[in-house]
Amino acid sequence: MISYHHKSFESVLASLTAKCVFCVEIYAGLDWAQSQKITWPQYCWTTRSTGKMSDNQGAIVVSFRSVKYGDSARQIYHKPKRYYLFPEADYQTKYFQPTLGLSEFTDPSVSGGNQLHKWMKTCVETHKACYKDSRNTFVPTRLVDVNAGPDIVRVVETSVADIKGPYLTLSHSWGKTWFTTLTTGNKHELMGTGIKLSDLSPNFQQAISVARFMGLRYIWIDSLCIIQGPDGDFPYEGQLMHKVYRYSFCNIAIADSENKDGGLFRKRDPHAILPARLEVDGDSTKLRQGAWRILPESFWKSQLLGSKIYTRGWVFQERMLSPRILHFASSQIFWDCCTLSASETLPDGLPHYLDAQASTDRHWRGRIQTASLPNTPPPIGPNDDSIERFWKSSVLNYTSCDLTNQTDKTFAIWSIAKLVRDVLDEEYAVGLWEDALEEQLAWRMKDCGTETRLDVLQAKYPSWTWASVKGPVITYDRLTPERSYVVLDHHNQPISFQIHAQHSNT
């Protein structure tokens, strides 16, 4: 059934005053549109029922789509928005539990952290698809010991202290202001008597607080475990980052901070983060009488992947390589592993209808982790996509993120490329693979812009690779390996490239 949501601007304003769940979102920025004398966006909306799943009674889908209003050439349009409405009576137990124990803070030491412990326990004890490194296959060169003292932390050499793990990792935004890092000048202090916890940035203080709450003694923080500066050891340690995240117990992601001072924890209204509630009086022809809970289709993307940290290119590989992730976002904590994607308000997992993007990431995370295990062949089965599809998806998602230093273009995805390289068993350079090089030249920009070919990229990378441009890139699958042709270069040899040792990090 199709109908117009509002047919007059006055009706929209009245709906906004009444705090309509849909209008508050779809008409955001309407005041600006009016001030610019741009015709207000009119929407038609449709409703339909989803099919019943094995574990639920289905839902109502409400879709909003911009339509042309009059003959105005300045009308603003928006992408279609879709919402899922769940009967509260049917879903109270499964999704919207009234006893979640949400508090006014996301600090688990204040809220009790019961849900955090439950996610951990369930994953370790029951998730067969989630990797458990019982053999202590790898530990980083250095780790931060959070139990050096109540107010002291210390950086330790794992080989000297014979540390086998487990350990946590941290994803965070550095920002542009100075904070304490490990250098050749202070390493004797940080790796000797240690440093006061209060001398660290709020990001690190709160991450260490979470590590202590979880009962883990060690955490890997890049700027404290890799010697920084021109005389540091990043050229070597950077080559190990794919292993650092891959073999960690869990990654802590500071999703809502764009610098060192943002921290993990947020004050919140516990009731405000619950799914919006809609009471239907029975007069509507679209929804039956009763209470409904509303979730936008973009819940996972807007609430989590739209956070500050996930616009950073470096964090893409950290998110895909980590076996488990605790995301501390703006209003709640999210959980992600190879089996479950959940939040404090949806603790048992996302409903099927909202799980498309999260489930894709879970699938690839599991695939790449399994493929990287020693002496373990890649999984084979009807639901296992090729590793090339993973690479194609990775390039698009990665190039959609931002990099502070564009010359890091190929290095910030190097950890992913290494794992793919081990599966494909072929050389990789500047974003392309050795076999069928000519077919990979068909990459294209998803959206053409005026600032795609930056001078700094053009100076470092050849124009025929996607690494030479800024912006989302779509690559194409290579054709079947059984070819009826061979593309030759000017010397009548198959097209290829050579990797020199001094450039192996690209």
Side-chain angles (χ1 to χ4, degrees), residues 111-413:
S111 65
N114 295 332
Q115 188 57 58
L116 188 156
H117 283 309
K118 182 179 179 181
W119 282 328
M120 289 289 184
K121 180 179 175 64
T122 300
C123 182
V124 171
E125 295 181 358
T126 68
H127 290 176
K128 295 181 180 180
C130 292
Y131 173 63
K132 291 91 174 172
D133 185 17
S134 59
R135 297 170 296 176
N136 300 314
T137 306
F138 170 86
V139 289
T141 303
R142 304 179 190 93
L143 289 169
V144 177
D145 183 353
V146 304
N147 289 347
D151 302 313
I152 296 291
V153 295
R154 189 163 62 93
V155 178
V156 295
E157 294 272 3
T158 56
S159 60
V160 174
D162 194 29
I163 296 171
K164 303 299 183 183
Y167 64 93
L168 299 167
T169 52
L170 181 69
S171 291
H172 67 105
S173 295
W174 286 42
K176 298 181 179 180
T177 56
W178 180 89
F179 58 94
T180 300
T181 63
L182 179 65
T183 65
T184 54
N186 67 9
K187 69 176 184 179
H188 295 294
E189 176 189 3
L190 267 64
M191 299 176 66
T193 57
I195 185 174
K196 290 182 180 180
L197 185 62
S198 58
D199 289 339
L200 297 178
S201 68
N203 281 357
F204 295 169
Q205 292 182 41
Q206 294 181 14
I208 289 169
S209 171
V210 173
R212 289 173 172 175
F213 178 82
M214 295 171 62
L216 274 78
R217 182 171 181 175
Y218 302 105
I219 183 171
W220 185 88
I221 301 175
D222 51 7
S223 54
L224 293 178
C225 295
I226 299 177
I227 299 176
Q228 305 297 309
D231 53 351
D233 57 2
F234 183 79
Y236 171 75
E237 291 294 330
Q239 302 291 321
L240 301 176
M241 288 180 67
H242 66 298
K243 290 186 176 181
V244 170
Y245 286 95
R246 168 66 188 82
Y247 292 107
S248 69
F249 176 74
C250 181
N251 183 47
I252 297 172
I254 310 178
D256 191 47
S257 174
E258 58 187 1
N259 55 46
K260 65 182 179 65
D261 297 317
L264 287 76
F265 310 139
R266 298 290 181 269
K267 181 177 174 58
R268 66 188 180 189
D269 177 357
H271 300 288
I273 65 174
L274 291 171
R277 188 173 187 270
L278 177 66
E279 189 75 39
V280 178
D281 57 13
D283 295 333
S284 172
T285 59
K286 300 177 179 63
L287 301 173
R288 68 172 182 263
Q289 183 177 4
W292 298 76
R293 290 289 184 171
I294 306 171
L295 280 168
E297 184 182 46
S298 61
F299 172 78
W300 190 255
K301 182 177 181 180
S302 60
Q303 295 291 315
L304 179 61
L305 299 186
S307 300
K308 297 179 179 67
I309 195 173
Y310 290 120
T311 62
R312 294 181 59 239
W314 279 97
V315 178
F316 169 74
Q317 60 184 6
E318 298 168 12
R319 180 168 64 89
M320 295 305 298
L321 294 174
S322 302
R324 304 171 188 86
I325 312 173
L326 277 172
H327 314 264
F328 284 79
S330 60
S331 61
Q332 60 180 304
I333 303 172
F334 289 77
W335 167 266
D336 219 0
C337 64
C338 296
T339 305
L340 179 72
S341 298
S343 70
E344 289 182 88
T345 56
L346 296 170
D348 293 331
L350 301 179
H352 171 76
Y353 317 105
L354 307 181
D355 198 32
Q357 183 164 4
S359 63
T360 299
D361 288 345
R362 289 198 308 272
H363 170 81
W364 288 123
R365 186 182 298 116
R367 280 274 290 157
I368 204 66
Q369 288 172 4
T370 303
S372 68
L373 291 177
N375 303 316
T376 302
I380 299 175
N383 296 322
D384 292 314
D385 295 326
S386 71
I387 200 70
E388 293 220 29
R389 290 291 299 276
F390 169 72
W391 177 250
K392 178 179 179 180
S393 173
S394 295
V395 170
L396 176 58
N397 291 331
Y398 167 68
T399 53
S400 298
C401 299
D402 294 327
L403 283 171
T404 302
N405 185 355
Q406 284 294 319
T407 57
D408 288 337
K409 195 76 171 185
T410 55
F411 198 71
I413 198 175

Side-chain angles (χ1 to χ4, degrees), residues 409 443 445 452-453 457-458 465-471 473:
K409 195 76 171 185
W443 61 267
M445 300 291 295
T452 57
R453 293 194 175 274
L457 292 175
Q458 296 295 300
T465 171
W466 56 262
S468 66
V469 298
K470 177 185 179 182
V473 170

